[in-house]
Amino acid sequence: MVVLVVLILLLLLVITVIAKAIRVVPQAYTGIVERFGKYKETLPAGLNFVVPFIDKVRYTIDLREQVVSFPPQSAITEDNLTVDIDTVIYFQVTDPIAATYEISNYIQAIEQLTMTTLRNVVGGMDLEQTLTSRESINSGLSAVLDETTGRWGIKVKRVEIKGIEPPPSIKDAMEKQMRAERDKRALVLTAEGARQSAILTAEGNKQSAILNAEGEREAQILSAQADREAQILRAQGEGQAIQTVFQAIHDGRPDQSLLAYQYLQMMPKIAEGDANKVWVIPSEITKALEGLGSSIHEIAGIPKSTPGPAKRVDMGPTEPELPAPSGTSEAVQEAIAEAESAAHPGKPSASGEPPAPPAPTE
């Protein structure tokens, strides 16, 4: 019985020793081994063996890139305004031994270093620069943190500003300023549009007035030219008519009989109209009438009779002469000649030959 108990105790001891000797480190992690409280070695990922009860895996360090978001930090700008800034740090442990033994808590150390560096960077900017210079703030934080955390075995990959919150009063003032600026730009654009519209309207009215004036001037010029040409043509026509009548009168050599006849034709026109109750007969008419009944007296300037034969004025043909059709055949010309001879018997044909005698009738 005692031997059995001893065997069980030995078995439990072996199992415990084996459990203490085997250490499994996950991927992307590393283990810090201490022997009697002093650093001994660094265990890689996978299955590892240590001396039980002597070696101890003190820390397991995550070698992956880590993201830490810090709570809002208050910072005072150059123009004495307090802003709350949220930051996000991306870092990675590059030296597990330094990260374990050079600093007790590197997360807290990074947070405090970020807060102090951020206040230093923001303190040299005013509120407007702080709100619009996130990239410069990130660059300043990254440079300071990377330089300081390098001796801790930590590499700061990136620093991002998640948010910048100004005081409520400043935020309200900024909103009012932004609204006023937008209203100002809207008024400026409206005024500019009205100005451009007025300029374009005035320019259009000017061009319209100029075109209307030019149109009226050209119309008046054309109307005046038309009136002038009409008057010239009318005067020329009247002059030609007077010359023609005068020439016809002199060519016909009128006597007293013709003058008396003309006076007799004018008498009905003198008596025309309802208001012509009394009218005067010119003395020349009486003399013309006397000359018409008796050839004793003569009107001054008008001979009683004209010697020699009367000369007729050639007024031209009464019907227009049509030109002979060109390109007609001889048969068509003969047919036209026969038609003319049939219509005007005894008249020579257009060809100059005597007309054919009419056909005898039975």
Side-chain angles (χ1 to χ4, degrees):
M1 186 68 180
V2 176
V3 176
L4 183 59
V5 172
V6 173
L7 290 175
I8 293 174
L9 292 176
L10 290 175
L11 181 60
L12 292 176
L13 180 61
V14 171
I15 293 173
T16 303
V17 171
I18 293 173
K20 289 289 184 179
I22 297 174
R23 288 292 181 264
V24 178
V25 179
Q27 182 67 33
Y29 284 84
T30 186
I32 302 299
V33 179
E34 294 181 352
R35 177 173 291 180
F36 301 115
K38 184 180 178 180
Y39 171 76
K40 179 181 180 294
E41 61 179 349
T42 301
L43 299 180
L47 183 62
N48 296 278
F49 296 94
V50 297
V51 178
F53 306 108
I54 297 176
D55 297 337
K56 182 179 181 182
V57 180
R58 187 71 175 176
Y59 302 101
T60 302
I61 306 299
D62 191 352
L63 299 179
R64 296 174 298 177
E65 185 175 348
Q66 302 180 44
V67 181
V68 179
S69 177
F70 299 132
Q73 305 292 331
S74 298
I76 299 176
T77 61
E78 188 179 9
D79 48 357
N80 297 324
L81 293 175
T82 303
V83 292
D84 294 333
I85 303 177
D86 295 343
T87 56
V88 179
I89 305 296
Y90 298 83
F91 68 93
Q92 184 179 12
V93 177
T94 58
D95 188 355
I97 301 173
T100 303
Y101 297 105
E102 294 294 335
I103 190 168
S104 61
N105 190 342
Y106 56 83
I107 299 295
Q108 186 178 2
I110 292 175
E111 179 182 0
Q112 296 299 320
L113 183 60
T114 301
M115 182 175 61
T116 55
T117 306
L118 185 61
R119 288 177 180 176
N120 187 24
V121 173
V122 173
M125 301 180 179
D126 57 12
L127 180 61
E128 188 70 21
Q129 292 177 343
T130 303
L131 295 176
T132 58
S133 303
R134 296 194 178 192
E135 203 58 41
S136 61
I137 295 175
N138 294 340
S139 300
L141 285 175
S142 298
V144 174
L145 291 175
D146 189 55
E147 181 182 358
T148 305
T149 58
R151 55 189 179 86
W152 298 340
I154 296 173
K155 175 67 175 178
V156 177
K157 300 289 186 178
R158 179 192 277 179
V159 180
E160 294 290 340
I161 302 298
K162 187 166 62 173
I164 301 176
E165 292 293 333
S169 59
I170 300 301
K171 186 184 295 184
D172 184 57
M174 292 173 61
E175 291 179 357
K176 290 181 180 179
Q177 180 182 3
M178 181 178 61
R179 192 180 302 112
E181 185 67 23
R182 289 182 178 177
D183 293 340
K184 172 187 173 183
R185 283 185 291 182
L187 292 175
V188 169
L189 291 176
T190 302
E192 186 68 22
R195 173 174 169 271
Q196 292 293 335
S197 176
I199 291 174
L200 293 177
T201 302
E203 188 69 23
N205 293 334
K206 173 185 173 183
Q207 294 294 333
S208 177
I210 291 174
L211 293 176
N212 290 333
E214 291 180 353
E216 292 178 359
R217 184 188 69 177
E218 293 179 1
Q220 292 177 359
I221 292 173
L222 293 176
S223 178
Q225 291 178 353
D227 293 340
R228 184 187 68 177
E229 294 177 0
Q231 291 176 4
I232 292 173
L233 292 176
R234 194 178 297 111
Q236 291 177 352
E238 290 177 358
Q240 292 178 0
I242 292 172
Q243 290 178 359
T244 303
V245 173
F246 184 78
Q247 184 67 33
I249 291 173
H250 280 272
D251 290 343
R253 289 181 293 178
D255 54 5
Q256 292 185 6
S257 300
L258 177 62
L259 182 62
Y261 178 71
Q262 291 291 332
Y263 277 140
L264 289 175
Q265 284 185 336
M266 290 297 297
M267 290 180 63
K269 294 183 178 180
I270 296 175
E272 286 180 357
D274 297 335
N276 295 334
K277 303 300 183 182
V278 178
W279 46 283
V280 180
I281 301 175
S283 61
E284 288 81 357
I285 297 180
T286 59
K287 293 180 180 181
L289 292 176
E290 290 176 1
L292 184 63
S294 175
S295 60
I296 298 175
H297 303 284
E298 290 182 1
I299 300 175
I302 305 298
K304 182 176 181 180
S305 61
T306 57
K311 182 181 179 179
R312 295 182 60 83
V313 178
D314 187 9
M315 303 303 293
T318 57
E319 296 181 358
E321 296 180 358
L322 298 177
S326 60
T328 56
S329 61
E330 296 180 358
V332 174
Q333 293 181 359
E334 293 177 359
I336 293 174
E338 292 178 0
E340 289 180 353
S341 62
H344 305 283
K347 181 179 178 182
S349 62
S351 59
E353 298 178 357
T361 56
E362 295 178 0

